[in-house]
Amino acid sequence: MTDKHSPLKGKHCVLGITGSIAAYKACTLIRLLSKAGVEVQVVITPAGKEFITPLTLSTLTRRPVVSEFFDRRDGSWHSHVDLGLWADFMIIAPATAATIGKMAHGIADNMLLTTYLSMKAPTFVAPAMDLDMYAHPATQANLETLRKRGVGIIEAGSGELASGLVGKGRMEEPERIFNYLENHFATCQRLAGKRVLITAGPTRERIDPVRYIGNFSTGKMGFALAEACAEAGAEVELVAGPVSLTTNSPLIHRTDVESAAEMYEAAAAKFAHCDAAILCAAVADFTPAVKADQKLKREGDGLTLHLQPTTDIAAALGQAKRQGQKLVGFALETNDELDHARAKLKKKNLDFIVLNSLRDKGAGFAFDTNKITILSADDCVEFSLKPKTEVARDITDRLCALFD
Ligand code: C5P
C-alpha cells in the first residue's frame, strides 16, 4: 500500500511504549505512521523511558511525550480520558508481559494503563519479551483475555532475543506492524453504507408455559459476526434468540426473539431492507403442533409430542433474495460434512456457506474457538482453529469480497 492511499491517513494514534529493549523500534514505527499521514501521540511508561528518551520521541512526533499524570514543569493535568476520545486507534509497541498482564486485569498504575482503560478506539498490542515469558501460561492467558475483548494482538516473531536466547518473543518488525494496521483499517471500511442482517443463538419452542425444546447454541459466533460486521462499518440488524450476551458497537441494532416463528417474522421483515444476511442461528427445525396453555402433568405412561416443521428462514430468504443481495448460511454437521454443506448451499440459494463439524475439537456450540470451511459454488477454503472473534473477521472478509 502506498502512503498516498493509506487507510491510516489523517488518523490519530496513541502509541504506548513500555520497558523493553524493543522500544528503539518504536522510532521506525513512528516514521512509518507519520509518513502515512498519522498524528502520533506517545504515552510512555516510566520503565519505557529507561530504554528510549522522550526527547527522541517528541522530536519524531513533534508532540510532547506523555508519561506522568501531571506535567512536572507547570503542574498541568494530562487527561487520559481526552486521549481516549482523541485517538482513532491505540497501539502498544513494545508491550511487555507486565503491561499485558495489567491490561488484562485492569490495573491502572501508570498513565499508559489509565489511557488504555479510557480508550474508546480499537487497540492493538505488539508483545516483546523473552521466549519463556512469552510462552508462559500466564502471559498466554492474558493475551487470550485481551483478544477476547477485541484487542488486536500482533504476535511476536521468532529470532534472536536480547537475552541471547533464540525463540518466539521478539516484537514484530515495525514494517509488519504498520502493514497489520493498514490492513485492519482497509478492511474496516469495507462494509460502510451496507446493512447486514444476522441471526444468532438458539430458538425455544414452547411445549407448555414452563418447558421448551431448545439446543446448545450460545450465540457466540453470531454475536462475534455482528461485532465484526460493525467493525467493518456495516449497520447490523441482529436478530437474537434467547442468549446471555451483550453487544458493544452502536452500529448493532438488536431484536430479541424466542421461537423459530418469531425469528422468521423478524428476519424476513428486516431482510427486505438489507444488503446481506448471515444466518448463524441454530433454528429449531420442528415445533410442537400444540402448545399447552397449562403446565403438562406427569400422568400416564409418558408424553407424546406431535412436532411440525418450522419455516426454514435461510431457504425463505434465499427465495426472496433480490439481485445484489448476498446470503450466507451455516452448516453444523456431524458426518458427510462437505456433501451436506454443498446440498444446503444449493437448496437455500446461498452465496456461501460456513461449515463447522462437531468432529473437530474446539468447534461448535459454546466453545470460544471455531474451525470452519467456507464453501461456495466455485471454491472450498479450510481455515485453522481460531478464536470466534477471528473466525468472524474471516467470514466478514469473505462477505466484503462479494461486494468488491
Ligand atoms: O438445514 P440446516 O438447519 O442445517 O441449515 C443450517 C442453516 O440454515 C443455518 O444458516 C441456519 O441458520 C439456517 N436455518 C434457518 N431456519 C431454519 C433452519 C436452519 O435459517 N428453520
Side-chain angles (χ1 to χ4, degrees), residues 199 279-281 283-285 310-314 329-331 333 344 348:
T199 63
L279 304 167
C280 189
V283 188
D285 289 321
T310 56
T311 305
D312 185 329
I313 304 169
F330 271 70
E333 305 293 340
K344 285 175 190 175
K348 303 189 188 210

Side-chain angles (χ1 to χ4, degrees), residues 363-374:
F365 295 136
F367 289 108
D368 288 325
T369 50
N370 204 356
K371 185 172 181 327
I372 61 161
T373 302
I374 293 185

Side-chain angles (χ1 to χ4, degrees), residues 200-201 217-225 243 245 280 366-368 388-389:
S217 170
T218 56
K220 280 181 186 167
M221 193 63 246
F223 274 59
L225 271 165
V243 293
L245 297 173
C280 189
F367 289 108
D368 288 325
K388 282 185 174 165
T389 46

